[in-house]
Amino acid sequence: MSAEASVGSGAADSAQSTISQHVFQNSGEFRNQGLLGSKYVKLNVGGSLHYTTVQTLSKEDSLLRRMCNGITEVTTDSEGWIILDRSGRYFDLVLNFLRDGSVPLPEDRRELDEVLKEAQYYQVQGLIQHCLGAMQKQKDVLETVCRIPMITSAKEEQRMIATCRKPVVKLQNNRGNNKYSYTSNSDDNLLKNIELFDKLVLRFNGRVLFVKDVLGDEICCWSFYGEGRKIAEVCCTSIVYATEKKQTKVEFPEARIFEETLNILIYENSRGSGPGGLHLLDSRGAGSSLEPATQKRRALWRRQEGEADPRKEGT
């Protein structure tokens, strides 16, 4: 082959390479047309139409930015709408987060889960963290709510006490379960028992399970459970003969109720850790090692509540 033929062949190859490169670049520009080549973007998200800008979609390193950059291929219809096969219900929320950096989230947990799924699909990390933070706040609020179960059957009560990992305090009150008249102070004392129950619920919420029972035979009775068994009971009613007829007397032994509530805290962390709590409580009595601890807890309670010793006030 002559030198001229060689030079001509090289020029032809160079020209063909230039043409191929130009065609490739043009095809790339065509593929990005309507994204990088345009300020505005038309999105069809599950039939929901949205009109926004490339600048908005590119604010976070997300799937939407990669669509704008041409890294992720997109599907368009004959009218130039980019088709996204997702529900469009929360896409406005995604766009508003990209625009403002924050957005009000639904309070309903199910809807919040759906928003989180959309944020994860589009890989908008800021919105993902926003949703997770809102979920944690909801969880914290729910955990601080005082819940007082109401016993509906003896079988339910047994199962609840047997499976609970915390000490249990049950107040049984049923004023109507009485065939005699009440003494003059009984109604007031019954109310005081109920008020004390509410106060203890607030004070030991999260540490003790407090339950109410309005189905039993007793009119007013406190029961204290640890590790699935009854540890103590304070019955507040008795039958008296203040007149010619029998009467029901309701008492308010506040000091003893306080003491038994404090004592039951021994079982707070003992479930599943051996019988140590049982031995401590079974050894109660004068001179036992538990008595100083009980006195110390009572003193701490009084300091925290700013109250006088209830035993000095009388019952």
Side-chain angles (χ1 to χ4, degrees):
M1 180 182 293
S2 65
E4 292 179 358
S6 176
V7 170
S9 175
D13 292 342
S14 177
Q16 180 65 36
S17 175
T18 301
I19 293 172
S20 298
Q21 184 177 7
H22 180 70
V23 171
F24 176 79
Q25 289 175 347
N26 284 342
S27 66
E29 290 172 1
F30 178 77
R31 182 165 59 90
N32 288 331
Q33 187 176 2
L35 295 178
L36 289 179
S38 175
K39 181 179 179 181
Y40 298 101
V41 181
K42 300 189 298 182
L43 300 168
N44 183 340
V45 187
S48 177
L49 303 181
H50 302 268
Y51 197 62
T52 185
T53 65
V54 170
Q55 181 181 6
T56 294
L57 297 180
S58 302
K59 281 192 175 181
E60 284 204 19
D61 184 13
S62 64
L63 175 65
L64 298 171
R65 175 190 281 184
R66 290 192 290 276
M67 288 168 49
C68 293
N69 293 341
I71 298 174
T72 299
E73 293 186 1
V74 297
T75 301
T76 59
D77 63 12
S78 58
E79 297 180 358
W81 291 89
I82 297 173
I83 307 300
L84 295 177
D85 188 18
R86 300 289 295 181
S87 170
R89 181 177 181 184
Y90 298 108
F91 193 73
D92 269 335
L93 194 148
V94 175
L95 288 180
N96 287 335
F97 181 84
L98 291 173
R99 291 170 181 137
D100 304 327
S102 180
V103 69
L105 294 173
E107 295 183 1
D108 181 78
R109 181 56 185 258
R110 183 176 179 179
E111 293 183 359
L112 190 54
D113 284 338
E114 292 177 358
V115 174
L116 176 60
K117 289 178 181 177
E118 294 305 303
Q120 290 171 335
Y121 174 80
Y122 295 112
Q123 301 170 25
V124 182
Q125 294 300 320
L127 183 55
I128 292 173
Q129 295 303 317
H130 193 32
C131 291
L132 293 176
M135 289 179 175
Q136 184 61 46
K137 287 181 180 179
Q138 287 185 353
K139 182 179 179 182
D140 293 341
V141 169
L142 290 175
E143 288 179 348
T144 59
V145 172
C146 289
R147 300 183 182 275
I148 306 175
M150 185 75 74
I151 293 174
T152 60
S153 67
K155 185 176 181 180
E156 180 192 42
E157 176 184 356
Q158 294 171 2
R159 184 173 64 253
M160 185 185 302
I161 294 171
T163 58
C164 184
R165 301 185 63 85
K166 296 183 291 187
V168 179
V169 174
K170 183 188 76 170
L171 173 61
Q172 183 177 358
N173 68 322
N174 187 356
R175 186 187 183 283
N177 187 28
N178 180 39
K179 59 182 179 180
Y180 306 115
S181 62
Y182 286 96
T183 59
S184 57
N185 294 328
S186 291
D187 283 332
D188 187 46
N189 286 336
L190 184 60
L191 181 60
K192 287 180 179 179
N193 277 279
I194 296 173
E195 290 175 344
L196 177 59
F197 179 84
D198 293 340
K199 186 176 182 180
L200 293 175
V201 169
L202 293 175
R203 175 64 179 83
F204 295 106
N205 178 42
R207 300 177 63 185
V208 177
L209 174 64
F210 290 87
V211 297
K212 280 188 176 182
D213 182 4
V214 296
L215 299 178
D217 296 330
E218 294 291 341
I219 296 170
C220 185
C221 183
W222 296 73
S223 300
F224 303 84
Y225 300 87
E227 294 187 346
R229 74 186 187 102
K230 182 182 288 188
I231 304 303
E233 181 178 275
V234 180
C235 186
C236 303
T237 56
S238 60
I239 302 297
V240 297
Y241 291 88
T243 63
E244 295 180 356
K245 297 181 179 180
K246 292 182 180 179
Q247 285 187 302
T248 299
K249 180 181 180 182
V250 179
E251 299 175 320
F252 179 48
E254 184 178 9
R256 188 179 173 195
I257 296 169
F258 268 111
E259 181 174 357
E260 297 298 349
T261 303
L262 295 173
N263 287 340
I264 206 70
L265 291 177
I266 293 174
Y267 289 91
E268 186 175 1
N269 299 310
S270 61
R271 178 64 72 98
S273 60
L278 288 175
H279 292 336
L280 283 172
L281 234 69
D282 287 344
S283 65
R284 286 187 303 176
S288 71
S289 60
L290 178 62
E291 190 174 3
T294 302
Q295 297 292 342
K296 183 177 180 181
R297 286 195 300 272
R298 278 204 297 264
L300 178 61
W301 166 271
R302 291 194 297 270
R303 286 198 300 272
Q304 291 176 339
E305 298 298 318
E307 297 178 350
D309 189 337
R311 292 173 300 175
K312 295 180 181 180
E313 298 176 0
T315 60

